Amino acid sequence: MAEQAFAAGDAHAAIRCAIRAGDVDFASRVAVKYWYILCATDVEGTIVVLEELDHRQLREHPYLAIILALAYNTTTTRRVRAVELFGTAVAALALRYPGSGVGERLILSTLESVAFRVMGQGTAARAAAKRARELLATVRAGDSEMIDLLRFDLAQQVGTSFFVGGDLVEAKATLNDVLAAQGRAGGARLTLGLLAGLHATNGEMLSSARHVAAEQERSWPPIVHGPYIDALFHSSRAWDAVERFDLAAAQTVLDDVAEELRTNELWPLFALAQVYVDLGSGTPALGESRLAQTIARGERAPTTAYWRSRLAVARSTLALAAGQGERALSAVRKLSRDDLDVRVAVARAALAQHDHDGALMILAGTQGVAVAGARHRAERLLLLAAAAARSDLGAMAVATAQDAAITLRTSGTRLPLMLVHRDDRLAVAELLRSAGDLQSAELIHGDQHVPDVLPNVVRVVDLSERELVVLQGLVAGADLPLLASRLFVSPNTIKTQIKSIYRKLEVRTKRDAVIAALHKGLV
């Protein structure tokens, strides 16, 4: 019965019959071939069948453990169990890997990348995905019947692991290879959705639109219209509406997918789009509160360090738009300056403090530029042009603004314009007009639909690292002798630092200092 169902492509019947007949090896074979169907359709049925296996059987058959964990992960009530199973599966896969052939190592590495990414371990997910991609290149068509059947599915999961893990360059390369090879219909729709969402999140709107159009040109079987794949296209549509500054339309899309995002691993894409809706709507304080709640919700799928960094930068931008310079800097203080997105956030705060020389220095480095998306590259160039214009570096401002205009035109993104103050865009546009580049001037300042979301001036309290530590101690309720003991200094030194803190915060008492610190996001 199991073999007949397997041959007929009835994944659920095949795995049910195999497990109830005690043939767990055959059930594992079904799981490898039909994992997508088992996780995308009748998920509760998949869970019921696989829960008949005991812990030993799941440990000895990691493919089945992965399938059950993925099925659990589609619910909000079994997330802890999903993480436990992923851990079991990863350990079992690691033991099995050394004695496996190339084909099985490819499958093992791919599943390992899936497990790590769903657990929010981006570095490990990328490493496993890299191994899988290298192995995939060594297995030629015809070498393995199983790999021939799974090639596109495996490559899609590898590309998704790169995407979630934060290596967007490898993600695009892998997924474009899959698309060029024209896999099965369902796989093609998933690949188109992943590429559409990836490009839209990067601000590469023209590329995203091409993938959306390609999806709309074809009719697709019901199996590939599940909420996970559909959400990818909703992501692209939300970003498209935001880029057109049609914020009401964007909010409608985001509201429509809110329930799916409780379990979808790509929820940060939508959270970032929501940030821009809140910025453009003039409600940054609401947006900051909403983002904090979204990140804190335990029922959300774990996310990787890459997306946590993107969300922290978004929170910084919301805080700056709300006039909270300290909170804006605090949100990104512990993040690496090698990250272009982080440097742009810090430079934006510097420019809001009228520290244009500081902004120039921060943005001068090119770390991360080559692998950044169009939106981040355009943000950097526009801020550089604004800082150069403020510093009376006209030639630099014009050249940089022209590069920004090229990036905006070739990608289709417009959101970076929203994150530069209107006065700065006007100053840069005037320089471009003086240089005879009317087209770039019109692009940078001519669109009246661009919301003006950032304040022209933001004051920031400049506390030293030691003063921040002392302030954190005060907020925690530590007294002067305890602070002195913890920091290995005299009480008089702590007194001096507290006086400096009070002066910078413009307060007179400890109570007022604590209130100011909490309000400004300094702790």
Side-chain angles (χ1 to χ4, degrees), residues 98 105 301 483 508:
R105 290 205 304 273
L483 283 171
R508 293 177 179 273

Side-chain angles (χ1 to χ4, degrees), residues 75-76 79 257-264 267 299-301:
T75 72
T76 58
R79 190 169 303 285
V257 296
E259 185 62 28
E260 160 65 13
L261 298 185
R262 296 179 66 196
T263 57
N264 194 304
W267 65 265
E299 71 268 21
R300 296 279 185 186

Side-chain angles (χ1 to χ4, degrees), residues 241-420:
V242 174
E243 285 280 3
R244 292 183 285 104
F245 304 111
D246 187 349
L247 304 179
Q251 189 64 64
T252 297
V253 175
L254 294 170
D255 290 343
D256 287 345
V257 296
E259 185 62 28
E260 160 65 13
L261 298 185
R262 296 179 66 196
T263 57
N264 194 304
E265 63 183 325
L266 296 174
W267 65 265
L269 278 65
F270 296 85
L272 292 172
Q274 182 68 65
V275 166
Y276 281 97
V277 171
D278 291 326
L279 282 169
S281 301
T283 56
L286 170 64
E288 192 178 359
S289 175
R290 190 199 316 258
L291 181 60
Q293 290 175 5
T294 298
I295 295 171
R297 283 178 182 161
E299 71 268 21
R300 296 279 185 186
T303 193
T304 60
Y306 173 83
W307 293 105
R308 289 196 297 272
S309 177
R310 300 284 76 72
L311 293 167
V313 169
R315 196 169 184 177
S316 171
T317 306
L318 286 165
L320 188 65
Q324 298 295 330
E326 291 86 0
R327 267 212 315 272
L329 292 174
S330 177
V332 296
R333 182 170 287 121
K334 295 181 180 180
L335 301 180
S336 171
R337 293 287 184 92
D338 290 337
D339 187 327
L340 176 62
D341 207 15
V342 174
R343 293 206 308 283
V344 166
V346 176
R348 190 180 292 120
L351 209 58
Q353 299 171 62
H354 282 206
D355 180 11
H356 33 271
D357 290 336
L360 281 172
M361 291 183 64
I362 293 166
L363 294 170
T366 59
Q367 305 101 305
V369 173
V371 297
R375 188 176 292 124
H376 294 154
R377 295 199 310 274
E379 284 182 27
R380 170 182 176 267
L381 291 167
L382 286 169
L383 285 172
L384 263 175
R390 289 192 187 189
S391 299
D392 295 325
L393 300 173
M396 178 182 177
V398 168
T400 309
Q402 288 173 330
D403 288 342
I406 291 171
T407 302
L408 294 172
R409 280 193 291 267
T410 56
S411 66
T413 186
R414 294 295 181 271
L415 282 178
L417 297 169
M418 188 174 78
L419 298 180
V420 178

Side-chain angles (χ1 to χ4, degrees), residues 468-487 494 498 502 510-511 514:
L468 280 171
V469 173
V470 172
L471 182 57
Q472 289 167 353
L474 294 177
V475 171
D479 59 17
L480 192 147
L482 180 58
L483 283 171
S485 173
R486 285 179 178 174
L487 299 177
I494 297 296
I498 290 175
Y502 287 1
K510 175 182 176 180
R511 176 180 176 276
V514 170

Side-chain angles (χ1 to χ4, degrees), residues 18-19 29 98 112 115 210 226-227 230 265 337 391 448 461 514 521:
I19 287 177
R29 183 181 171 194
E112 197 174 27
R210 284 195 295 272
D230 291 348
E265 63 183 325
R337 293 287 184 92
S391 299
Q448 299 305 309
V461 177
V514 170

Side-chain angles (χ1 to χ4, degrees), residues 433-458:
R433 290 190 184 97
S434 298
D437 190 347
L438 303 184
Q439 185 181 24
S440 295
E442 179 66 18
L443 177 58
I444 287 175
H445 191 258
D447 189 346
Q448 299 305 309
H449 295 98
V450 179
D452 195 30
V453 304
L454 296 180
N456 194 25
V457 180
V458 173

